[in-house]
């Protein structure tokens, strides 16, 4: 790509500020998402008073699933919005929807006050949150990739999953503080509203911050271009002009998403139900392992800037295929919390090979005109199906006495990511070093896949 067509590199301080604004919104959205799952045990009876505790929890779980089902719609609508009107506007809208959903849950009267309208409000709030989370990934991935300097895109884009894990940790931390501050009765009466008030207020702050962040230069240049006659954009262009890239994103996301939900969400239930480790101990194991996992994201992202995306992704996919069955089998028989922590951290270290690159490796496949949609829609579809079904499949197989089949299911999904990685085209190692400024510049290779 000639210098005249290359967007100017912003100062590092501006890049850092824009990345922080983008990631803060991601953090808040995932905090709100996990806050619902964490505190549903306390507010289920407020919105669904009929039946026993199990029926109430099941009703709240169904509403949680509705949020998953809305994510593909969010990936489509907000992805197309980001490609047409800009990353900044889409990201601002995304965090506004999440804040509105959290505020609705925080202020919604219970069934005893407004009857059936109480669960209706809860469903509407989850619809807003599902749209928000579904649209956040593609817009955020595109923005982080486009504002990052050449040769550092892997490093900066890795902070997307740093913010996701940090949101999960923040929700867990708020739960721990409230559980040790308020009584059980206070949490069930009004204390469960506190985390949603926190999420709503934090979302409003991030909405303000996002309105002041810079639009990516790549999007500005795309908007400045004169469209060719009959040029198509949006979903039609994505499906007809980039079918290979679209299939590759599906394949990359399936294994990575299933592995992510297996080791960050389901594994804590697995350690309780199968290994027999106390719940309080499992919470500490999960918190510590997730914290280490969060720190590994920029390490893996920076490594991909040096050696390329495919080698790092192969570390995840090959390691996942070889280690999933033995690691899960060992975790099912371990009683020592320290060994459980080490094995969980080992598994998450390999998952970092996917999650740190999940944004950039997909964003680099598409041109600016369909990048947010091309990344966001397939990712949201995979998350709503494979991600949302990871835990139900694992629990159903355990109930039927075939728990080990789940380990092979995860392995098979990771194998799809391995196959998709084979189809990924990326800059050569020489091109990566040139972008980083550590090698003499040479003409771009025809196999190079720069952001355009």
């Amino acid at each position: 790509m000639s210098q005249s067509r290359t967007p100017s590199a912003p100062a590092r301080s501006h890049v850092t500020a824009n990345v922080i604004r983008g990631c803060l919104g991601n953090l808040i959205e995932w905090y709100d998402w996990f806050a619902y799952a964490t505190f549903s045990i306390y507010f289920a009876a407020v919105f669904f008073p009929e039946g026993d505790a199990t029926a109430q929890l099941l009703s709240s779980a169904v509403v949680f699933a509705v949020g998953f089902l809305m994510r593909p719609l969010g990936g489509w609508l907000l992805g197309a919005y980001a490609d047409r009107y800009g990353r900044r506007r889409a990201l601002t809208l995304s965090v506004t929807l999440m804040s509105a959903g959290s505020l609705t849950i925080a202020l919604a009267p219970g069934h005893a006050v407004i009857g059936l309208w109480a669960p209706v409000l809860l469903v509407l709030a989850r619809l807003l949150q599902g749209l928000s989370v579904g649209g956040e990934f593609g817009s955020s991935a595109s923005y982080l990739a486009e504002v990052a300097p050449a040769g550092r895109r892997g490093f900066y884009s890795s902070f997307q999953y740093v913010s996701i894990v940090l949101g999960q940790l923040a929700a867990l931390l708020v739960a721990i503080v409230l559980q040790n501050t308020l009584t059980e009765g206070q949490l069930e009466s009004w204390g469960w509203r506190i985390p949603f008030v926190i999420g709503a207020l934090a979302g409003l702050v991030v909405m303000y911050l996002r309105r002041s962040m810079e639009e990516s230069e790549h999007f500005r240049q795309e908007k400045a271009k004169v469209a060719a006659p009959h040029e198509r954009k949006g979903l039609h262009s994505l499906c007809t002009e980039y079918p290979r890239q679209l299939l590759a994103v599906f394949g990359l996301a399936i294994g990575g998403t299933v592995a992510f939900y297996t080791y960050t969400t389901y594994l804590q239930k697995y350690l309780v139900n199968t290994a027999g480790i106390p719940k309080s101990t499992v919470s500490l194991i999960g918190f510590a392992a997730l914290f280490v996992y969060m720190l590994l994201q920029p390490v893996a992202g920076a490594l991909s800037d040096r050696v390329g995306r495919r080698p790092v992704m192969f570390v995840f996919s090959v390691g996942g295929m070889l280690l999933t069955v033995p690691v899960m089998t060992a975790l099912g028989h371990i009683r020592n919390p320290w060994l459980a922590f080490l094995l969980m951290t080992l598994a998450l270290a390999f998952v970092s090979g996917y999650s740190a690159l999940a944004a950039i490796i997909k964003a680099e496949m598409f041109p600016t005109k369909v990048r947010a949609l091309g990344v966001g829609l397939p990712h949201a579809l995979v998350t709503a199906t494979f991600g949302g079904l990871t835990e139900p499949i694992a629990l159903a197989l355990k109930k039927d006495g075939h728990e080990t089949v789940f380990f092979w299911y995860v392995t098979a999904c990771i194998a799809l990511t391995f196959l998709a990685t084979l189809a990924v085209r990326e800059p050569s190692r020489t091109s990566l070093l040139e972008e980083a400024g550590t090698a003499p510049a040479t003409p771009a290779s025809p196999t190079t896949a720069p952001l355009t």
Side-chain angles (χ1 to χ4, degrees):
M1 182 179 295
S2 65
Q3 184 64 30
S4 61
R5 294 178 56 199
T6 303
S8 58
R12 178 170 295 185
S13 60
H14 289 174
V15 172
T16 302
N18 288 326
V19 169
I20 289 174
R21 291 187 186 102
C23 288
L24 277 177
N26 210 26
L27 186 159
I28 296 303
E29 296 200 17
W30 283 93
Y31 161 83
D32 287 329
W33 188 259
F34 286 112
Y36 182 99
T38 303
F39 286 92
S40 61
I41 190 173
Y42 297 110
F43 66 71
V46 175
F47 293 96
F48 307 99
E50 301 297 329
D52 57 18
T54 300
Q56 293 166 351
L57 289 174
L58 180 60
S59 297
S60 65
V62 170
V63 177
F64 184 73
V66 168
F68 269 96
L69 295 177
M70 289 300 293
R71 287 169 73 160
L73 184 60
W76 174 27
L77 295 179
L78 288 180
Y81 184 85
D83 288 331
R84 180 176 292 272
Y85 298 108
R87 318 318 190 192
R88 181 180 63 185
R89 291 175 65 175
L91 288 170
T92 302
L93 175 59
S94 175
V95 76
T96 303
L97 290 174
M98 180 59 75
S99 183
S102 292
L103 188 62
T104 300
I105 296 175
L107 301 180
H111 190 280
V113 179
I114 59 173
L116 290 177
W117 285 106
V120 169
L121 283 176
L122 187 63
V123 170
L124 290 175
R126 291 301 296 166
L127 292 177
L128 289 175
Q129 292 185 326
L131 282 171
S132 172
V133 173
E136 173 74 16
F137 189 90
S139 301
S140 179
S142 299
Y143 184 76
L144 293 177
E146 290 170 359
V147 301
R152 299 278 285 170
R153 295 188 184 114
F155 172 76
Y156 281 107
S157 296
S158 70
F159 282 89
Q160 184 172 42
Y161 263 81
V162 170
S163 60
I164 288 175
V165 178
L166 196 56
Q168 186 175 4
L169 291 174
L172 183 57
L173 183 60
V174 170
I176 292 172
V177 171
L178 291 178
Q179 288 167 348
N180 286 276
T181 304
L182 303 178
T183 65
E184 191 82 5
Q186 289 173 327
L187 279 170
E188 292 176 352
S189 176
W190 54 269
W192 62 266
R193 297 182 186 273
I194 294 175
F196 296 103
V197 172
I198 293 173
L201 294 177
L204 292 176
V205 172
V206 174
M207 179 187 69
Y208 173 78
L209 292 175
R210 280 188 164 179
R211 291 183 64 183
S212 63
M213 65 187 193
E214 300 173 353
E215 184 57 85
S216 83
E217 185 65 23
H218 288 271
F219 179 79
R220 287 201 199 101
Q221 291 196 2
E222 176 65 24
K223 289 296 290 183
K225 287 166 46 179
V226 178
H230 310 298
E231 180 182 13
R232 293 183 180 272
K233 296 185 178 182
L235 191 59
H236 183 276
S237 173
L238 182 67
C239 294
T240 57
E241 299 177 42
Y242 308 98
R244 182 185 65 83
Q245 293 90 329
L246 196 59
L247 289 175
V249 172
F250 273 112
L252 290 170
I254 288 173
T257 298
V258 170
F260 176 78
Y261 278 93
T262 295
Y263 290 112
T264 63
T265 305
Y266 172 67
L267 191 61
Q268 298 188 42
K269 296 180 178 65
Y270 178 72
L271 290 175
V272 172
N273 295 334
T274 300
I277 300 176
K279 293 179 181 178
S280 58
T281 304
V282 168
S283 295
L284 292 175
I285 292 171
F287 190 94
L290 284 172
F291 186 80
V292 175
Y293 172 62
M294 178 183 68
L295 297 179
L296 290 174
Q297 303 310 299
V299 176
L303 182 63
S304 77
D305 287 328
R306 302 296 300 176
V307 303
R309 318 297 183 213
R310 292 179 67 189
V312 178
M313 191 67 74
F314 279 134
V315 169
F316 157 68
S317 56
V318 174
M321 289 188 293
L322 295 176
L323 293 178
T324 295
V325 174
V327 166
M328 291 295 289
T329 301
L331 282 169
H333 294 85
I334 281 178
R335 302 294 182 270
N336 186 303
W338 286 103
L339 288 178
F341 164 73
L342 290 174
L343 280 177
M344 184 177 181
T345 303
L346 173 65
L348 287 171
F350 279 94
V351 176
S352 297
Y354 164 77
S355 56
L357 275 61
I360 189 62
I361 197 170
K362 299 167 187 173
E364 288 178 333
M365 293 184 188
F366 299 99
T368 303
K369 67 175 184 177
V370 294
R371 181 170 292 126
L373 182 61
V375 175
L377 179 58
H379 179 87
L381 285 169
V382 169
T383 303
T385 51
F386 287 87
L389 291 176
T390 296
E391 190 170 302
I393 288 174
L395 293 172
L397 288 171
K398 178 178 176 59
K399 183 179 179 180
D400 291 339
H402 303 293
E403 189 168 37
T404 57
V405 174
F406 175 70
F407 310 159
W408 290 104
Y409 166 76
V410 176
T411 302
C413 290
I414 294 175
L416 293 177
T417 297
F418 172 79
L419 295 176
T421 305
L422 295 174
V424 171
R425 297 174 61 190
E426 64 172 350
S428 66
R429 186 165 186 267
T430 301
S431 298
L432 289 170
L433 292 175
E434 289 170 4
E435 284 191 324
T438 57
T442 58
S445 166
T447 61
T448 297
L451 288 168
T452 56

